[in-house]
Amino acid sequence: MRKLLNTLYITTNDKYLSLDGENVVVSQDGKEVARYPLHRFEAIVTCGYSGVSPALMGACAKRGISISFLSMSGKFLARVCGETCGNVVLRKTQYRYSDDTEISNHIAKSFLTGKLYNAKWVLERATRDHPMRLNVEELKQKSAQLSKCINNIQCAENLEQLRGIEGEGAKAYFCVFDQLILNQKEDFSFDTRNRRPPLDNVNALLSFSYSLLLSTCISALESVGLDPYVGFLHRDRPGRASLALDLMEELRPALADKFVLSLINRKEINKDCFIQKENGAVEITDNAKKKILTCWQNKKSEEIKHPYLDIKIEWGVVPYAQALLLARYIRGDIDGYPPFLWKS
């Protein structure tokens, strides 16, 4: 359980929520473990299938408190909200901002600043932890190149320039990504990022991890009332969750990429977890996916200190914190969207 920016998060599968007077009661195995005044919250997000009482759902709908239901893997299932939850006004503002190229450019700068900053610190962390096993000089050069790209982002005048800078930074980062693979090198090597389909074990893991992160970002945006399909950096395309792709940019290096490296370097997966198709595509076996999902859940339960909020939260809550901050910016409650800048 966690209270965050007037939102109550239930992150375990064994909790049941009910109403007692004007209080939210959290129960486990039929016993009360916590209670909170209902008026404190703007939203409730619950993971798993234990449930929420009809009385609490009705009380929340009446007071404009949304309840979002997610699976344990983070997939958005449904949301209960009342008529006065304010999401229409929020989304109309989001749509206007998306149509305004100047505002879109401003928000996109924050997403990409976060992405390149976090990519830089993935490299810096590696040089700190494994200086004897890496080409530190080369990684420091790429880190400096990423710093230059971050500075150039602030001068970009349009989205096209931003995408060019992002591409330059991504190329610098991925050209040394193979060095970060410290174990099982004979089975896990990385040459370049490829997808649709992934052509090697590492790219298969990256694609699968990105899909998990994307699902979480969609859920996070849905939970705060934003439309995950209308973005700022990624433009409208039928069926593409553009805003979720925007939001996940800053979280790719620090969460998904580090997760993949951990799976390989800790030998939690091996070459037997993959199948190569006749067309060269590499797929993860079903049993391996179950193992990876378990590791993903464990990763999401790890605590970190949020750099902007200055509080400890689980990794799995970070996308929801960022979605809330984005919603607050769009509503005009804060002056700018603060990207997630990870440093460990």
Side-chain angles (χ1 to χ4, degrees):
M1 292 174 294
R2 181 166 299 279
K3 293 178 289 181
L4 178 64
L5 298 178
N6 300 322
T7 298
L8 175 64
Y9 288 92
I10 307 298
T11 56
T12 57
N13 192 38
D14 55 354
K15 303 295 190 298
Y16 182 80
L17 303 182
S18 59
L19 181 69
D20 182 16
E22 292 295 313
N23 297 296
V24 181
V25 177
V26 184
S27 302
Q28 182 178 9
D29 297 328
K31 297 180 180 180
E32 179 180 325
V33 294
R35 66 168 52 215
Y36 305 101
L38 191 59
H39 69 266
R40 286 187 182 181
F41 302 115
E42 296 176 359
I44 297 172
V45 177
T46 178
C47 299
Y49 306 100
S50 294
V52 176
S53 73
L56 179 58
M57 285 192 283
C60 288
K62 182 178 179 180
R63 292 164 176 79
I65 303 170
S66 66
I67 304 178
S68 296
F69 296 88
L70 315 181
S71 72
M72 283 305 297
S73 64
K75 181 180 180 181
F76 177 79
L77 301 174
R79 185 173 69 251
V80 176
C81 57
E83 295 181 356
T84 58
C85 64
N87 290 347
V88 172
V89 175
L90 177 64
R91 291 197 181 204
K92 287 177 71 175
T93 305
Q94 175 191 353
Y95 300 150
R96 288 198 300 271
Y97 281 9
S98 179
D99 288 335
D100 188 311
T101 55
E102 184 175 347
I103 295 177
S104 291
N105 188 55
H106 175 72
I107 299 174
K109 285 183 178 181
S110 293
F111 291 133
L112 293 184
T113 295
K115 177 179 183 176
L116 298 184
Y117 179 94
N118 292 332
K120 170 185 171 67
W121 279 104
V122 168
L123 302 185
E124 290 289 341
R125 171 76 179 267
T127 61
R128 184 190 73 187
D129 291 348
H130 308 285
M132 304 302 294
R133 303 181 66 182
L134 301 171
N135 185 337
V136 173
E137 182 179 353
E138 184 179 11
L139 264 64
K140 287 289 186 180
Q141 289 176 352
K142 299 306 179 184
S143 176
Q145 190 173 345
L146 286 165
S147 294
K148 182 179 179 181
C149 290
I150 293 170
N151 291 331
N152 291 340
I153 281 176
Q154 312 313 316
C155 302
E157 297 179 355
N158 53 56
L159 292 173
E160 184 176 354
Q161 290 182 11
L162 278 178
R163 294 189 186 100
I165 297 168
E166 187 272 338
E168 180 185 349
K171 182 178 179 181
Y173 170 68
F174 278 121
C175 81
V176 292
F177 193 78
D178 185 65
Q179 286 199 46
L180 308 184
I181 300 171
L182 303 176
N183 293 313
Q184 306 187 86
K185 293 290 288 187
E186 65 279 6
D187 300 315
F188 295 91
S189 61
F190 182 89
D191 181 47
T192 187
R193 180 76 180 110
N194 53 65
R195 51 181 181 163
R196 299 175 188 165
L199 302 177
D200 57 67
N201 296 347
V202 179
N203 274 291
L205 285 172
L206 287 172
S207 293
F208 186 63
S209 299
Y210 291 163
S211 70
L212 293 176
L213 180 56
L214 178 61
S215 176
T216 302
C217 289
I218 292 173
S219 299
L221 294 166
E222 289 275 11
S223 73
V224 300
L226 289 168
D227 187 337
Y229 289 86
V230 179
F232 304 106
L233 174 64
H234 294 83
R235 309 310 292 171
D236 295 348
R237 182 184 298 175
R240 182 170 75 175
S242 296
L243 186 58
L245 290 169
D246 287 354
L247 186 65
M248 72 180 285
E249 288 292 352
E250 60 194 283
L251 302 177
R252 286 178 190 256
L255 183 50
D257 295 354
K258 286 284 292 179
F259 173 70
V260 167
L261 291 169
S262 177
L263 286 175
I264 299 170
N265 291 333
R266 293 181 181 178
K267 300 182 180 180
E268 292 174 305
I269 48 94
N270 55 48
K271 63 179 181 180
D272 296 330
C273 296
F274 304 88
I275 300 173
Q276 187 167 29
K277 299 292 187 178
E278 292 182 359
N279 64 352
V282 174
E283 295 183 359
I284 303 172
T285 66
D286 290 341
N287 287 336
K289 285 180 181 178
K290 294 177 183 178
K291 185 185 299 184
I292 293 169
L293 285 171
T294 299
C295 294
W296 179 253
Q297 289 301 115
N298 293 336
K299 174 65 178 178
K300 292 200 300 181
S301 67
E302 294 177 7
E303 281 196 342
I304 61 162
K305 189 172 185 180
H306 193 284
Y308 178 81
L309 300 174
D310 198 30
I311 59 174
K312 285 188 175 182
I313 62 174
E314 293 91 353
W315 266 114
V317 179
V318 170
Y320 296 90
Q322 294 307 118
L324 282 165
L325 290 169
L326 180 60
R328 288 195 163 190
Y329 166 67
I330 292 174
R331 285 200 302 262
D333 295 338
I334 54 178
D335 293 333
Y337 168 69
F340 179 78
L341 304 178
W342 172 76
K343 186 176 180 180
S344 175

